[in-house]
Amino acid sequence: MSARTRLPARMLWMLPAGVALLAGLDAGLVLLGLPAPVTTERLPEVHGMLLVLGFVGTLISLERATAYARPAGFIAPALLGAGGVLLVVAPVPLVAGKFVLAAGAASFVLLYVPLWRRQYDAALLTQLLAAGLALCGAVIWIGQDGMERVIPWLIGFLVLTIAAERVELARITMGPRAAIRLLIHTWAASGALALGIVLPDAGAIALGAVLLSLTGWLVVHDVARRTIRARGVTRYMAACILAGYVWLAVAGLVLLLGEPSAQPAYDAVIHCVFLGYTFSMIMAHATTILPAVLRIPLPYRPAFWVPIGLLQVALVVRVWLGDGLGMPVAWRVGGVLGVVALLLFVLTAVASAVVGPPQNSFRTDAERATA
């Protein structure tokens, strides 16, 4: 079967994730108290789950299903994507979408089992445990109206999954014990989350300490500290990765103050992790991971610097000025800039894929080889 005939089928897997992303960004505007293309009473309630499990969860599970290369592996992205869509379809009871998301998270955990049996690796075990944290968050959400008790589990899922993928990609430079050290952080984070069930303040402080420890270790050992001096796509990826670590450290520092129950601290933590860390990492690896999953070339272009730069500006305005200094206007402006940054990244990626590799792509490859 040719690549051309496979293309539509592979792209269909991304459609529910795209719906969840757009609906989540729309919900973000509603939560900011600003005009949005779609306004429904339910959107603000599902904002976080749409972006974390509906979009990022579907994307990561699709990547793992591609690696598994068995039809059963695609159950997880199918259920997570369907759950995200059901969350925004008003006639469908909200609890139905919650149960489908939980089923998708359970399938995601099961997807990792044969992958781990295929390769008994600590980094892969970390991802399996992180998927378990996502499942815990999804199950807890079924009986909750808000997200306060759910957010810590989603933080654990995203932070540990992405860190494990960094270890997989940079295993040579991080050393042979890197995966074991990451696994230790994973157990520590899981313990902090369990502690938070009984003692929310103590659990938040413990989680913040783990995030700071993990961030410090990643910054010291990640090759991005050296490749930031390279050129082209290599420098772009390094800048995105290092920016993600900065925002993860900020989230860890805020958590050291205790449970972020007050709005400024709560807003700062979730956007530092879910927007600053997670989406910076997605932007960093989009040109390498998406082509492998979708079989669609996504060439790097200098235009990719615009959305990642705008995202950092948005977070500075929202977190530092809006949340830190208590400026409502800055909080809203930063929120809008964040939405624009993500939409601009999607448009840039689609345009780059449609246009195809630039004529001087051989020069970029040579630069990458010497970085």
Side-chain angles (χ1 to χ4, degrees):
M1 185 180 293
S2 67
R4 182 171 297 179
T5 58
R6 289 198 302 266
L7 180 59
R10 288 183 175 270
M11 285 302 297
L12 284 176
W13 291 105
M14 287 298 296
L15 288 179
V19 170
L21 174 62
L22 294 176
L25 296 179
D26 185 279
L29 293 176
V30 175
L31 287 169
L32 290 168
L34 299 172
V38 179
T39 54
T40 65
E41 187 176 338
R42 205 156 88 181
L43 266 182
E45 299 179 50
V46 300
H47 167 64
M49 276 300 189
L50 281 171
L51 293 177
V52 176
L53 290 186
F55 174 66
V56 182
T58 301
L59 194 63
I60 297 174
S61 62
L62 181 58
E63 176 195 353
R64 296 289 95 179
T66 303
Y68 182 45
R70 299 286 191 279
F74 291 90
I75 295 175
L79 286 174
L80 288 171
V85 172
L86 290 177
L87 291 181
V88 300
V89 178
V92 177
L94 179 57
V95 69
K98 290 183 175 184
F99 270 105
V100 174
L101 269 186
S107 301
F108 193 17
V109 175
L110 294 176
L111 171 59
Y112 274 113
V113 174
L115 292 174
W116 187 63
R117 287 176 176 171
R118 182 186 297 175
Q119 180 185 0
Y120 291 98
D121 179 72
L124 199 56
L125 180 57
T126 292
Q127 294 176 61
L128 191 158
L129 295 172
L133 299 181
L135 175 58
C136 290
V139 171
I140 292 171
W141 193 45
I142 293 176
Q144 298 283 323
D145 292 329
M147 293 287 291
E148 291 78 8
R149 298 300 181 194
V150 180
I151 289 296
W153 300 90
L154 301 184
I155 289 176
F157 161 59
L158 289 178
V159 170
L160 296 171
T161 299
I162 294 171
E165 294 200 350
R166 281 306 302 159
V167 169
E168 285 184 338
L169 293 171
R171 192 182 299 270
I172 295 177
T173 59
M174 287 189 174
R177 302 284 297 173
I180 296 297
R181 292 189 179 96
L182 176 62
L183 187 58
I184 293 172
H185 282 93
T186 301
W187 287 117
S190 301
L193 292 171
L195 177 62
I197 297 175
V198 182
L199 302 170
D201 278 333
I205 293 171
L207 181 60
V210 173
L211 294 185
L212 287 174
S213 174
L214 177 61
T215 305
W217 175 71
L218 287 170
V219 169
V220 169
H221 294 90
D222 201 309
V223 69
R225 282 196 311 119
R226 295 189 290 275
T227 56
I228 190 65
R229 295 187 290 270
R231 293 184 293 176
V233 64
T234 306
R235 186 173 194 173
Y236 164 77
M237 291 179 66
C240 293
I241 291 166
L242 294 177
Y245 291 154
V246 169
W247 293 113
L248 185 59
V250 173
L253 289 172
V254 177
L255 285 171
L256 289 181
L257 301 176
E259 183 187 16
S261 54
Q263 178 58 25
Y266 179 81
D267 187 80
V269 168
I270 61 177
H271 287 91
C272 282
V273 174
F274 299 149
L275 198 60
Y277 173 74
T278 301
F279 276 95
S280 290
M281 291 295 186
I282 290 175
M283 291 182 181
H285 298 96
T287 57
T288 56
I289 291 179
L290 285 180
V293 173
L294 300 178
R295 302 291 193 270
I296 301 173
L298 182 58
Y300 162 79
R301 285 180 166 82
F304 278 105
W305 283 97
V306 178
I308 185 62
L310 184 59
L311 178 62
Q312 307 313 309
V313 172
L315 286 163
V316 169
V317 173
R318 178 167 188 159
V319 174
W320 291 107
L321 301 181
D323 294 324
L325 299 181
M327 301 171 59
V329 173
W331 180 71
R332 286 190 173 88
V333 170
V336 172
L337 290 178
V339 171
V340 172
L342 296 187
L343 290 175
L344 185 59
F345 174 75
V346 171
L347 293 175
T348 303
V350 170
S352 183
V354 170
V355 173
Q359 294 181 353
N360 62 342
S361 60
F362 67 90
R363 188 178 305 170
T364 302
D365 293 337
E367 292 174 0
R368 190 183 316 174
T370 57

PDB file of all heavy atoms in Angstrom, residues 75-113:
ATOM      1  N   ILE A  75      -6.783   1.137  20.178  1.00  0.00           N
ATOM      2  CA  ILE A  75      -7.978   1.317  20.997  1.00  0.00           C
ATOM      3  C   ILE A  75      -7.814   2.519  21.919  1.00  0.00           C
ATOM      4  O   ILE A  75      -8.755   3.305  22.116  1.00  0.00           O
ATOM      5  CB  ILE A  75      -8.263   0.039  21.820  1.00  0.00           C
ATOM      6  CG1 ILE A  75      -8.608  -1.117  20.888  1.00  0.00           C
ATOM      7  CG2 ILE A  75      -9.384   0.284  22.826  1.00  0.00           C
ATOM      8  CD1 ILE A  75      -8.789  -2.442  21.605  1.00  0.00           C
ATOM      9  N   ALA A  76      -6.617   2.673  22.488  1.00  0.00           N
ATOM     10  CA  ALA A  76      -6.376   3.774  23.435  1.00  0.00           C
ATOM     11  C   ALA A  76      -6.567   5.145  22.791  1.00  0.00           C
ATOM     12  O   ALA A  76      -7.350   5.959  23.303  1.00  0.00           O
ATOM     13  CB  ALA A  76      -4.988   3.651  24.049  1.00  0.00           C
ATOM     14  N   PRO A  77      -5.889   5.463  21.660  1.00  0.00           N
ATOM     15  CA  PRO A  77      -6.137   6.779  21.061  1.00  0.00           C
ATOM     16  C   PRO A  77      -7.562   6.954  20.566  1.00  0.00           C
ATOM     17  O   PRO A  77      -8.097   8.067  20.591  1.00  0.00           O
ATOM     18  CB  PRO A  77      -5.129   6.847  19.903  1.00  0.00           C
ATOM     19  CG  PRO A  77      -4.737   5.446  19.631  1.00  0.00           C
ATOM     20  CD  PRO A  77      -4.823   4.738  20.949  1.00  0.00           C
ATOM     21  N   ALA A  78      -8.194   5.855  20.147  1.00  0.00           N
ATOM     22  CA  ALA A  78      -9.586   5.960  19.692  1.00  0.00           C
ATOM     23  C   ALA A  78     -10.506   6.357  20.836  1.00  0.00           C
ATOM     24  O   ALA A  78     -11.358   7.246  20.695  1.00  0.00           O
ATOM     25  CB  ALA A  78     -10.033   4.636  19.079  1.00  0.00           C
ATOM     26  N   LEU A  79     -10.343   5.719  21.995  1.00  0.00           N
ATOM     27  CA  LEU A  79     -11.202   6.024  23.136  1.00  0.00           C
ATOM     28  C   LEU A  79     -10.898   7.400  23.719  1.00  0.00           C
ATOM     29  O   LEU A  79     -11.824   8.135  24.088  1.00  0.00           O
ATOM     30  CB  LEU A  79     -11.035   4.954  24.213  1.00  0.00           C
ATOM     31  CG  LEU A  79     -11.677   3.598  23.916  1.00  0.00           C
ATOM     32  CD1 LEU A  79     -11.310   2.589  24.994  1.00  0.00           C
ATOM     33  CD2 LEU A  79     -13.183   3.728  23.799  1.00  0.00           C
ATOM     34  N   LEU A  80      -9.629   7.757  23.815  1.00  0.00           N
ATOM     35  CA  LEU A  80      -9.284   9.077  24.340  1.00  0.00           C
ATOM     36  C   LEU A  80      -9.799  10.173  23.423  1.00  0.00           C
ATOM     37  O   LEU A  80     -10.331  11.194  23.879  1.00  0.00           O
ATOM     38  CB  LEU A  80      -7.769   9.195  24.514  1.00  0.00           C
ATOM     39  CG  LEU A  80      -7.166   8.389  25.666  1.00  0.00           C
ATOM     40  CD1 LEU A  80      -5.642   8.405  25.592  1.00  0.00           C
ATOM     41  CD2 LEU A  80      -7.633   8.940  27.013  1.00  0.00           C
ATOM     42  N   GLY A  81      -9.645   9.974  22.113  1.00  0.00           N
ATOM     43  CA  GLY A  81     -10.160  10.958  21.166  1.00  0.00           C
ATOM     44  C   GLY A  81     -11.671  11.050  21.211  1.00  0.00           C
ATOM     45  O   GLY A  81     -12.247  12.145  21.211  1.00  0.00           O
ATOM     46  N   ALA A  82     -12.336   9.890  21.282  1.00  0.00           N
ATOM     47  CA  ALA A  82     -13.800   9.882  21.353  1.00  0.00           C
ATOM     48  C   ALA A  82     -14.277  10.526  22.648  1.00  0.00           C
ATOM     49  O   ALA A  82     -15.265  11.274  22.662  1.00  0.00           O
ATOM     50  CB  ALA A  82     -14.317   8.452  21.246  1.00  0.00           C
ATOM     51  N   GLY A  83     -13.577  10.241  23.748  1.00  0.00           N
ATOM     52  CA  GLY A  83     -13.961  10.855  25.016  1.00  0.00           C
ATOM     53  C   GLY A  83     -13.851  12.359  24.973  1.00  0.00           C
ATOM     54  O   GLY A  83     -14.720  13.076  25.499  1.00  0.00           O
ATOM     55  N   GLY A  84     -12.794  12.874  24.336  1.00  0.00           N
ATOM     56  CA  GLY A  84     -12.652  14.312  24.203  1.00  0.00           C
ATOM     57  C   GLY A  84     -13.781  14.929  23.405  1.00  0.00           C
ATOM     58  O   GLY A  84     -14.309  15.991  23.764  1.00  0.00           O
ATOM     59  N   VAL A  85     -14.173  14.264  22.331  1.00  0.00           N
ATOM     60  CA  VAL A  85     -15.284  14.779  21.508  1.00  0.00           C
ATOM     61  C   VAL A  85     -16.591  14.747  22.292  1.00  0.00           C
ATOM     62  O   VAL A  85     -17.389  15.700  22.246  1.00  0.00           O
ATOM     63  CB  VAL A  85     -15.406  13.960  20.210  1.00  0.00           C
ATOM     64  CG1 VAL A  85     -16.672  14.356  19.444  1.00  0.00           C
ATOM     65  CG2 VAL A  85     -14.177  14.167  19.326  1.00  0.00           C
ATOM     66  N   LEU A  86     -16.826  13.676  23.035  1.00  0.00           N
ATOM     67  CA  LEU A  86     -18.069  13.555  23.799  1.00  0.00           C
ATOM     68  C   LEU A  86     -18.183  14.627  24.881  1.00  0.00           C
ATOM     69  O   LEU A  86     -19.287  15.030  25.248  1.00  0.00           O
ATOM     70  CB  LEU A  86     -18.162  12.169  24.438  1.00  0.00           C
ATOM     71  CG  LEU A  86     -18.383  10.998  23.478  1.00  0.00           C
ATOM     72  CD1 LEU A  86     -18.381   9.680  24.239  1.00  0.00           C
ATOM     73  CD2 LEU A  86     -19.682  11.166  22.695  1.00  0.00           C
ATOM     74  N   LEU A  87     -17.047  15.100  25.378  1.00  0.00           N
ATOM     75  CA  LEU A  87     -17.086  16.139  26.407  1.00  0.00           C
ATOM     76  C   LEU A  87     -17.686  17.434  25.895  1.00  0.00           C
ATOM     77  O   LEU A  87     -18.248  18.222  26.666  1.00  0.00           O
ATOM     78  CB  LEU A  87     -15.669  16.417  26.936  1.00  0.00           C
ATOM     79  CG  LEU A  87     -15.001  15.326  27.756  1.00  0.00           C
ATOM     80  CD1 LEU A  87     -13.618  15.789  28.210  1.00  0.00           C
ATOM     81  CD2 LEU A  87     -15.842  14.932  28.962  1.00  0.00           C
ATOM     82  N   VAL A  88     -17.595  17.678  24.591  1.00  0.00           N
ATOM     83  CA  VAL A  88     -18.075  18.954  24.053  1.00  0.00           C
ATOM     84  C   VAL A  88     -19.420  18.817  23.341  1.00  0.00           C
ATOM     85  O   VAL A  88     -19.981  19.814  22.892  1.00  0.00           O
ATOM     86  CB  VAL A  88     -17.040  19.563  23.082  1.00  0.00           C
ATOM     87  CG1 VAL A  88     -15.733  19.807  23.789  1.00  0.00           C
ATOM     88  CG2 VAL A  88     -16.811  18.670  21.868  1.00  0.00           C
ATOM     89  N   VAL A  89     -19.930  17.601  23.234  1.00  0.00           N
ATOM     90  CA  VAL A  89     -21.232  17.390  22.592  1.00  0.00           C
ATOM     91  C   VAL A  89     -22.303  17.501  23.666  1.00  0.00           C
ATOM     92  O   VAL A  89     -22.508  16.585  24.469  1.00  0.00           O
ATOM     93  CB  VAL A  89     -21.289  16.019  21.894  1.00  0.00           C
ATOM     94  CG1 VAL A  89     -22.674  15.807  21.269  1.00  0.00           C
ATOM     95  CG2 VAL A  89     -20.212  15.920  20.828  1.00  0.00           C
ATOM     96  N   ALA A  90     -22.986  18.621  23.705  1.00  0.00           N
ATOM     97  CA  ALA A  90     -23.910  18.937  24.799  1.00  0.00           C
ATOM     98  C   ALA A  90     -25.005  17.888  25.022  1.00  0.00           C
ATOM     99  O   ALA A  90     -25.331  17.595  26.177  1.00  0.00           O
ATOM    100  CB  ALA A  90     -24.531  20.314  24.558  1.00  0.00           C
ATOM    101  N   PRO A  91     -25.622  17.317  23.963  1.00  0.00           N
ATOM    102  CA  PRO A  91     -26.684  16.333  24.234  1.00  0.00           C
ATOM    103  C   PRO A  91     -26.202  15.087  24.977  1.00  0.00           C
ATOM    104  O   PRO A  91     -26.991  14.404  25.611  1.00  0.00           O
ATOM    105  CB  PRO A  91     -27.187  15.968  22.828  1.00  0.00           C
ATOM    106  CG  PRO A  91     -26.821  17.139  21.972  1.00  0.00           C
ATOM    107  CD  PRO A  91     -25.519  17.625  22.530  1.00  0.00           C
ATOM    108  N   VAL A  92     -24.906  14.793  24.890  1.00  0.00           N
ATOM    109  CA  VAL A  92     -24.365  13.609  25.567  1.00  0.00           C
ATOM    110  C   VAL A  92     -24.106  13.960  27.035  1.00  0.00           C
ATOM    111  O   VAL A  92     -23.468  14.974  27.327  1.00  0.00           O
ATOM    112  CB  VAL A  92     -23.056  13.149  24.897  1.00  0.00           C
ATOM    113  CG1 VAL A  92     -22.466  11.956  25.649  1.00  0.00           C
ATOM    114  CG2 VAL A  92     -23.308  12.800  23.439  1.00  0.00           C
ATOM    115  N   PRO A  93     -24.579  13.157  27.976  1.00  0.00           N
ATOM    116  CA  PRO A  93     -24.308  13.449  29.389  1.00  0.00           C
ATOM    117  C   PRO A  93     -22.809  13.547  29.657  1.00  0.00           C
ATOM    118  O   PRO A  93     -22.018  12.758  29.122  1.00  0.00           O
ATOM    119  CB  PRO A  93     -24.938  12.254  30.115  1.00  0.00           C
ATOM    120  CG  PRO A  93     -25.965  11.714  29.168  1.00  0.00           C
ATOM    121  CD  PRO A  93     -25.417  11.959  27.796  1.00  0.00           C
ATOM    122  N   LEU A  94     -22.434  14.502  30.487  1.00  0.00           N
ATOM    123  CA  LEU A  94     -21.022  14.718  30.780  1.00  0.00           C
ATOM    124  C   LEU A  94     -20.385  13.465  31.363  1.00  0.00           C
ATOM    125  O   LEU A  94     -19.228  13.140  31.051  1.00  0.00           O
ATOM    126  CB  LEU A  94     -20.861  15.893  31.745  1.00  0.00           C
ATOM    127  CG  LEU A  94     -19.428  16.248  32.171  1.00  0.00           C
ATOM    128  CD1 LEU A  94     -18.558  16.552  30.963  1.00  0.00           C
ATOM    129  CD2 LEU A  94     -19.448  17.431  33.142  1.00  0.00           C
ATOM    130  N   VAL A  95     -21.117  12.748  32.183  1.00  0.00           N
ATOM    131  CA  VAL A  95     -20.555  11.559  32.818  1.00  0.00           C
ATOM    132  C   VAL A  95     -20.190  10.494  31.779  1.00  0.00           C
ATOM    133  O   VAL A  95     -19.251   9.709  31.982  1.00  0.00           O
ATOM    134  CB  VAL A  95     -21.533  10.995  33.870  1.00  0.00           C
ATOM    135  CG1 VAL A  95     -22.772  10.411  33.202  1.00  0.00           C
ATOM    136  CG2 VAL A  95     -20.842   9.962  34.745  1.00  0.00           C
ATOM    137  N   ALA A  96     -20.901  10.479  30.650  1.00  0.00           N
ATOM    138  CA  ALA A  96     -20.581   9.516  29.595  1.00  0.00           C
ATOM    139  C   ALA A  96     -19.198   9.811  29.012  1.00  0.00           C
ATOM    140  O   ALA A  96     -18.388   8.892  28.804  1.00  0.00           O
ATOM    141  CB  ALA A  96     -21.642   9.561  28.497  1.00  0.00           C
ATOM    142  N   GLY A  97     -18.928  11.087  28.755  1.00  0.00           N
ATOM    143  CA  GLY A  97     -17.610  11.459  28.272  1.00  0.00           C
ATOM    144  C   GLY A  97     -16.527  11.135  29.285  1.00  0.00           C
ATOM    145  O   GLY A  97     -15.421  10.701  28.926  1.00  0.00           O
ATOM    146  N   LYS A  98     -16.824  11.333  30.572  1.00  0.00           N
ATOM    147  CA  LYS A  98     -15.853  11.017  31.616  1.00  0.00           C
ATOM    148  C   LYS A  98     -15.519   9.535  31.629  1.00  0.00           C
ATOM    149  O   LYS A  98     -14.344   9.150  31.755  1.00  0.00           O
ATOM    150  CB  LYS A  98     -16.396  11.444  32.983  1.00  0.00           C
ATOM    151  CG  LYS A  98     -16.474  12.952  33.193  1.00  0.00           C
ATOM    152  CD  LYS A  98     -16.952  13.261  34.610  1.00  0.00           C
ATOM    153  CE  LYS A  98     -16.938  14.756  34.899  1.00  0.00           C
ATOM    154  NZ  LYS A  98     -17.313  15.053  36.303  1.00  0.00           N
ATOM    155  N   PHE A  99     -16.538   8.687  31.502  1.00  0.00           N
ATOM    156  CA  PHE A  99     -16.311   7.242  31.523  1.00  0.00           C
ATOM    157  C   PHE A  99     -15.516   6.789  30.295  1.00  0.00           C
ATOM    158  O   PHE A  99     -14.659   5.912  30.388  1.00  0.00           O
ATOM    159  CB  PHE A  99     -17.641   6.492  31.601  1.00  0.00           C
ATOM    160  CG  PHE A  99     -18.100   6.219  33.002  1.00  0.00           C
ATOM    161  CD1 PHE A  99     -19.134   6.960  33.562  1.00  0.00           C
ATOM    162  CD2 PHE A  99     -17.495   5.231  33.768  1.00  0.00           C
ATOM    163  CE1 PHE A  99     -19.560   6.716  34.873  1.00  0.00           C
ATOM    164  CE2 PHE A  99     -17.913   4.985  35.069  1.00  0.00           C
ATOM    165  CZ  PHE A  99     -18.945   5.729  35.624  1.00  0.00           C
ATOM    166  N   VAL A 100     -15.795   7.377  29.131  1.00  0.00           N
ATOM    167  CA  VAL A 100     -15.053   7.009  27.922  1.00  0.00           C
ATOM    168  C   VAL A 100     -13.592   7.430  28.053  1.00  0.00           C
ATOM    169  O   VAL A 100     -12.682   6.685  27.663  1.00  0.00           O
ATOM    170  CB  VAL A 100     -15.702   7.638  26.673  1.00  0.00           C
ATOM    171  CG1 VAL A 100     -14.840   7.376  25.440  1.00  0.00           C
ATOM    172  CG2 VAL A 100     -17.096   7.075  26.450  1.00  0.00           C
ATOM    173  N   LEU A 101     -13.352   8.611  28.616  1.00  0.00           N
ATOM    174  CA  LEU A 101     -11.973   9.037  28.845  1.00  0.00           C
ATOM    175  C   LEU A 101     -11.255   8.092  29.809  1.00  0.00           C
ATOM    176  O   LEU A 101     -10.093   7.744  29.598  1.00  0.00           O
ATOM    177  CB  LEU A 101     -11.946  10.460  29.412  1.00  0.00           C
ATOM    178  CG  LEU A 101     -11.859  11.627  28.433  1.00  0.00           C
ATOM    179  CD1 LEU A 101     -11.703  12.930  29.204  1.00  0.00           C
ATOM    180  CD2 LEU A 101     -10.688  11.465  27.465  1.00  0.00           C
ATOM    181  N   ALA A 102     -11.945   7.693  30.869  1.00  0.00           N
ATOM    182  CA  ALA A 102     -11.346   6.763  31.818  1.00  0.00           C
ATOM    183  C   ALA A 102     -11.035   5.428  31.141  1.00  0.00           C
ATOM    184  O   ALA A 102      -9.981   4.820  31.384  1.00  0.00           O
ATOM    185  CB  ALA A 102     -12.270   6.558  33.010  1.00  0.00           C
ATOM    186  N   ALA A 103     -11.944   4.964  30.272  1.00  0.00           N
ATOM    187  CA  ALA A 103     -11.695   3.728  29.535  1.00  0.00           C
ATOM    188  C   ALA A 103     -10.498   3.892  28.604  1.00  0.00           C
ATOM    189  O   ALA A 103      -9.684   2.968  28.450  1.00  0.00           O
ATOM    190  CB  ALA A 103     -12.941   3.339  28.737  1.00  0.00           C
ATOM    191  N   GLY A 104     -10.378   5.067  27.991  1.00  0.00           N
ATOM    192  CA  GLY A 104      -9.224   5.328  27.147  1.00  0.00           C
ATOM    193  C   GLY A 104      -7.927   5.333  27.938  1.00  0.00           C
ATOM    194  O   GLY A 104      -6.902   4.802  27.493  1.00  0.00           O
ATOM    195  N   ALA A 105      -7.953   5.920  29.140  1.00  0.00           N
ATOM    196  CA  ALA A 105      -6.762   5.937  29.985  1.00  0.00           C
ATOM    197  C   ALA A 105      -6.392   4.523  30.421  1.00  0.00           C
ATOM    198  O   ALA A 105      -5.208   4.164  30.477  1.00  0.00           O
ATOM    199  CB  ALA A 105      -6.999   6.830  31.200  1.00  0.00           C
ATOM    200  N   ALA A 106      -7.400   3.691  30.732  1.00  0.00           N
ATOM    201  CA  ALA A 106      -7.135   2.296  31.093  1.00  0.00           C
ATOM    202  C   ALA A 106      -6.517   1.539  29.916  1.00  0.00           C
ATOM    203  O   ALA A 106      -5.562   0.759  30.086  1.00  0.00           O
ATOM    204  CB  ALA A 106      -8.424   1.621  31.551  1.00  0.00           C
ATOM    205  N   SER A 107      -7.034   1.786  28.716  1.00  0.00           N
ATOM    206  CA  SER A 107      -6.470   1.152  27.523  1.00  0.00           C
ATOM    207  C   SER A 107      -5.040   1.620  27.271  1.00  0.00           C
ATOM    208  O   SER A 107      -4.197   0.853  26.790  1.00  0.00           O
ATOM    209  CB  SER A 107      -7.341   1.470  26.301  1.00  0.00           C
ATOM    210  OG  SER A 107      -8.665   1.016  26.482  1.00  0.00           O
ATOM    211  N   PHE A 108      -4.785   2.867  27.612  1.00  0.00           N
ATOM    212  CA  PHE A 108      -3.438   3.427  27.463  1.00  0.00           C
ATOM    213  C   PHE A 108      -2.455   2.686  28.370  1.00  0.00           C
ATOM    214  O   PHE A 108      -1.342   2.349  27.964  1.00  0.00           O
ATOM    215  CB  PHE A 108      -3.480   4.914  27.792  1.00  0.00           C
ATOM    216  CG  PHE A 108      -2.264   5.691  27.402  1.00  0.00           C
ATOM    217  CD1 PHE A 108      -1.347   5.178  26.492  1.00  0.00           C
ATOM    218  CD2 PHE A 108      -2.035   6.942  27.942  1.00  0.00           C
ATOM    219  CE1 PHE A 108      -0.215   5.906  26.128  1.00  0.00           C
ATOM    220  CE2 PHE A 108      -0.911   7.674  27.591  1.00  0.00           C
ATOM    221  CZ  PHE A 108      -0.002   7.153  26.689  1.00  0.00           C
ATOM    222  N   VAL A 109      -2.870   2.441  29.612  1.00  0.00           N
ATOM    223  CA  VAL A 109      -2.022   1.667  30.535  1.00  0.00           C
ATOM    224  C   VAL A 109      -1.754   0.275  29.964  1.00  0.00           C
ATOM    225  O   VAL A 109      -0.610  -0.203  29.955  1.00  0.00           O
ATOM    226  CB  VAL A 109      -2.680   1.572  31.920  1.00  0.00           C
ATOM    227  CG1 VAL A 109      -1.865   0.659  32.835  1.00  0.00           C
ATOM    228  CG2 VAL A 109      -2.818   2.954  32.556  1.00  0.00           C
ATOM    229  N   LEU A 110      -2.804  -0.375  29.480  1.00  0.00           N
ATOM    230  CA  LEU A 110      -2.656  -1.726  28.929  1.00  0.00           C
ATOM    231  C   LEU A 110      -1.769  -1.729  27.689  1.00  0.00           C
ATOM    232  O   LEU A 110      -1.065  -2.720  27.427  1.00  0.00           O
ATOM    233  CB  LEU A 110      -4.029  -2.309  28.600  1.00  0.00           C
ATOM    234  CG  LEU A 110      -4.950  -2.574  29.798  1.00  0.00           C
ATOM    235  CD1 LEU A 110      -6.318  -3.056  29.325  1.00  0.00           C
ATOM    236  CD2 LEU A 110      -4.320  -3.582  30.746  1.00  0.00           C
ATOM    237  N   LEU A 111      -1.788  -0.651  26.921  1.00  0.00           N
ATOM    238  CA  LEU A 111      -0.948  -0.561  25.729  1.00  0.00           C
ATOM    239  C   LEU A 111       0.534  -0.632  26.080  1.00  0.00           C
ATOM    240  O   LEU A 111       1.349  -1.197  25.333  1.00  0.00           O
ATOM    241  CB  LEU A 111      -1.259   0.752  24.987  1.00  0.00           C
ATOM    242  CG  LEU A 111      -0.341   1.149  23.824  1.00  0.00           C
ATOM    243  CD1 LEU A 111      -0.339   0.076  22.741  1.00  0.00           C
ATOM    244  CD2 LEU A 111      -0.785   2.493  23.251  1.00  0.00           C
ATOM    245  N   TYR A 112       0.899  -0.078  27.239  1.00  0.00           N
ATOM    246  CA  TYR A 112       2.302  -0.079  27.635  1.00  0.00           C
ATOM    247  C   TYR A 112       2.787  -1.463  28.079  1.00  0.00           C
ATOM    248  O   TYR A 112       3.993  -1.727  28.064  1.00  0.00           O
ATOM    249  CB  TYR A 112       2.533   0.917  28.777  1.00  0.00           C
ATOM    250  CG  TYR A 112       2.787   2.325  28.315  1.00  0.00           C
ATOM    251  CD1 TYR A 112       1.872   3.338  28.570  1.00  0.00           C
ATOM    252  CD2 TYR A 112       3.954   2.645  27.622  1.00  0.00           C
ATOM    253  CE1 TYR A 112       2.113   4.635  28.156  1.00  0.00           C
ATOM    254  CE2 TYR A 112       4.194   3.938  27.202  1.00  0.00           C
ATOM    255  CZ  TYR A 112       3.265   4.935  27.471  1.00  0.00           C
ATOM    256  OH  TYR A 112       3.516   6.216  27.052  1.00  0.00           O
ATOM    257  N   VAL A 113       1.880  -2.335  28.489  1.00  0.00           N
ATOM    258  CA  VAL A 113       2.292  -3.637  29.035  1.00  0.00           C
ATOM    259  C   VAL A 113       3.063  -4.462  28.005  1.00  0.00           C
ATOM    260  O   VAL A 113       4.186  -4.920  28.290  1.00  0.00           O
ATOM    261  CB  VAL A 113       1.073  -4.396  29.586  1.00  0.00           C
ATOM    262  CG1 VAL A 113       1.476  -5.813  30.014  1.00  0.00           C
ATOM    263  CG2 VAL A 113       0.456  -3.639  30.757  1.00  0.00           C
TER     264      VAL A 113
END
